[in-house]
Amino acid sequence: MTLAHRLRAAGLQPTVLEAAPQPGGLASSQNIGACRWDRFYHVILLSDRELLALLSELGLGEKLNWGYTRSGFYTDGSFYSLSSSLDFVRFPPLNVWEKGRLAWTILQASRIQDPLPLERETAAAWLCRLSGRRTYQRLWRPLLRSKLGENADRASAAFIWAIIARMYAARRSGLKREMFGYVDGGYATILPRLREMLTREGVDFVCGQPVTNVSGWDGGAQVRLADGSSLDFDTVVLTVPCPQIVKLCPDLESGERSRLESVVYQGIVCPSLLLHKPLRSYYVTSITEEWVPFTAVIEMTALVGPERFGGSSLVYLPRYLSQSSPVWQKTDTEIMNEFVPALLRMYPDLRESDIVAWQVARAREVLAVSTLNYSRDSLPPTRTSIENVFIVNSAQISAGTLNVNETVALANRKAAELLPLLRQPRRFSVEAEA
Ligand SMILES: Cc1cc2nc3c(=O)[nH]c(=O)nc-3n(C[C@H](O)[C@H](O)[C@H](O)COP(=O)(O)OP(=O)(O)OC[C@H]3O[C@@H](n4cnc5c(N)ncnc54)[C@H](O)[C@@H]3O)c2cc1C
């Protein structure tokens, strides 16, 4: 939608095609109990410049709320706060020497300007080298697992660098405390407002119809929809994940197809629960225990406040998955039957009767994993070999973590890159770009 907004501002006439009944994708919301909130947990950082600029274009600046949050660690059956420098100094799972090396790692990472060389080494190798094997096993590996699940071992050092850089930005200098924000009502406020603005500007929407085929020729491009109808455009920009692009565009050249297929996606199953009482008031609790089937606990009400949820606490239990994980085959009830006992074991004061409502959200293609030599071997180019068909998707965020700010920044950047190409359609050579 941001891309359509920018292209419209430059005088083009975009149409947004969306498979779901409403646009929003991973940021869209769901009903849970009597409440409505994001399907997946979202926070905004003070450093999210491009998202904050978009929110002020939408007139939502006044609906932004900010709060200090705390982070926790669940290890050896105990919870530890890791929210301040003092917590860090006290953190029992690491000895003084290990803490010194950990601080050194973070300092080194924060000094790196160009992450491209980091793509040549796995995150595991890089972190073991800088922090030591024990700190890797006790701290970094659980953190990687909480972000990447079963793909943790495939990530390059550039991935963990991007996380450190983003988390560094979340901590106010001086106090070094984590500060997060959200808009009243979450993305259920932002997305309809964005759609309304686009509609007013003259952007068209076709929702509730998956695109099934995209083809191009020297005069334009054609999109076929699931109901069998087709639409003609001058240009098509594919903003869907790479596996979708491969399916939609049978005319792609084989080299392009292999490049898109080489992008490793991870997915997520993410139960959310409304609870009668709060857990530990950490926004995020990273988990090192292998017996826990989810990779973190996100307590949204540590930021948003339970009054927004009728006095209940809203908690997410994310589990990141590779495409081949058997967990995809499980029903929502099977997932809850596995997750709830683990949650009750972690928080002995919690009872099953404290669960007011639950939902399980799933997304298959969430994040393109920053694998070894990602920019060289996998990063999707904007141009395709198909006349008038382009790609702008989140797999093109190579030196960042997946978040709405990066997505909006990508759309802003790619709109500027696309404009001269869209105005003068011509035949491109994919080989030349590669
Ligand atoms: C668990 C989780 C936590 C997150 N936490 C944060 C956070 O704290 N802060 C933050 O800023 N960001 C966060 N994000 C990231 C944020 O949600 C994404 O960066 C952003 O939503 C990505 O937007 P996108 O448009 O690139 O992709 P998507 O949201 O995946 O959009 C792709 C769209 O394409 C549509 N589509 C797919 N195939 C077709 C087809 N054939 N025809 C038509 N339409 C199709 C889909 O329906 C979807 O709407 C989080 C994401 C997840 C999953």
Side-chain angles (χ1 to χ4, degrees), residues 314-368:
L314 175 61
V315 168
Y316 296 84
L317 305 177
R319 162 102 184 243
Y320 286 100
L321 300 170
S322 65
Q323 296 302 313
S324 59
S325 170
V327 177
W328 294 115
Q329 314 311 326
K330 295 193 179 181
T331 62
D332 291 356
T333 307
E334 284 168 338
I335 289 171
M336 291 304 282
N337 285 344
E338 198 187 337
F339 282 32
V340 169
L343 187 71
L344 300 181
R345 188 171 153 194
M346 275 179 77
Y347 301 89
D349 292 345
L350 191 70
R351 300 275 169 272
E352 197 158 354
S353 53
D354 289 324
I355 302 174
V356 181
W358 58 267
Q359 282 281 4
V360 178
R362 298 161 189 255
R364 196 87 202 201
E365 285 136 0
V366 171
L367 169 82

Side-chain angles (χ1 to χ4, degrees), residues 15-170:
T15 300
V16 175
L17 302 171
E18 168 57 51
Q22 304 288 338
L26 296 172
S28 53
S29 52
Q30 65 183 6
N31 291 326
I32 175 159
C35 310
R36 189 161 186 86
W37 201 259
D38 306 353
R39 276 192 310 147
F40 302 106
Y41 44 95
H42 286 84
V43 289
I44 300 169
L45 270 55
L46 281 168
S47 52
D48 284 348
R49 282 218 315 270
E50 311 218 21
L51 172 58
L52 291 172
L54 182 66
L55 292 177
S56 66
E57 272 186 75
L58 293 172
L60 289 175
E62 308 225 315
K63 288 194 182 272
L64 265 166
N65 304 278
W66 297 98
Y68 287 116
T69 54
R70 298 188 325 132
S71 297
F73 233 82
Y74 182 70
T75 188
D76 301 332
S78 299
F79 288 90
Y80 300 99
S81 175
L82 248 188
S83 316
S84 67
S85 309
L86 197 60
D87 288 341
F88 176 74
V89 172
R90 287 187 188 137
F91 190 55
L94 301 181
N95 63 34
V96 176
W97 164 246
E98 288 162 344
K99 282 174 197 162
R101 283 187 78 178
L102 178 62
W104 164 251
T105 308
I106 293 171
L107 188 70
Q108 287 301 304
S110 69
R111 284 185 179 154
I112 293 172
Q113 300 291 323
D114 175 15
L116 199 61
L118 297 178
E119 289 191 3
R120 293 200 285 268
E121 191 173 12
T122 62
W126 188 71
L127 291 168
C128 279
R129 192 155 48 76
L130 289 182
S131 293
R133 176 153 291 280
R134 191 165 171 275
T135 304
Y136 171 73
Q137 288 296 351
R138 293 192 66 81
L139 193 123
W140 286 118
R141 193 172 149 70
L143 199 68
L144 275 173
R145 268 186 67 238
S146 76
K147 297 280 176 192
L148 289 176
E150 296 144 9
N151 285 315
D153 295 331
R154 306 181 75 170
S156 80
F159 176 80
I160 197 75
W161 170 84
I163 300 212
I164 294 172
R166 184 163 166 83
M167 284 305 122
Y168 223 68

Side-chain angles (χ1 to χ4, degrees), residues 27 64 77 128 135 151 196 223 259 274 277-278 300 303 314 320 363 383-384 406 412-413:
L64 265 166
C128 279
T135 304
N151 285 315
E196 273 161 37
V223 167
R259 191 175 176 92
L274 274 186
K277 52 181 170 206
M300 187 46 79
L303 174 67
L314 175 61
Y320 286 100
R383 298 169 179 182
T384 74
E406 290 281 0
N412 290 342
R413 211 165 55 239

Side-chain angles (χ1 to χ4, degrees), residues 136-243:
Y136 171 73
Q137 288 296 351
R138 293 192 66 81
L139 193 123
W140 286 118
R141 193 172 149 70
L143 199 68
L144 275 173
R145 268 186 67 238
S146 76
K147 297 280 176 192
L148 289 176
E150 296 144 9
N151 285 315
D153 295 331
R154 306 181 75 170
S156 80
F159 176 80
I160 197 75
W161 170 84
I163 300 212
I164 294 172
R166 184 163 166 83
M167 284 305 122
Y168 223 68
R171 281 157 198 264
R172 241 175 55 148
S173 55
L175 278 173
K176 294 279 179 220
R177 284 182 64 194
E178 194 174 74
M179 190 181 230
F180 288 143
Y182 66 96
V183 167
D184 285 340
Y187 274 85
T189 301
I190 301 172
L191 292 166
R193 186 71 80 96
L194 183 53
R195 182 173 180 178
E196 273 161 37
M197 180 176 77
L198 265 67
T199 304
R200 266 199 316 277
E201 289 170 351
V203 173
D204 292 325
F205 283 82
V206 177
C207 295
Q209 278 291 331
V211 171
T212 55
N213 181 280
V214 175
S215 54
W217 70 96
D218 58 8
Q222 190 179 67
V223 167
R224 217 172 304 135
L225 301 179
D227 65 1
S229 63
S230 57
L231 297 165
D232 290 332
F233 296 99
D234 295 322
T235 307
V236 170
V237 185
L238 298 154
T239 58
V240 295
C242 300

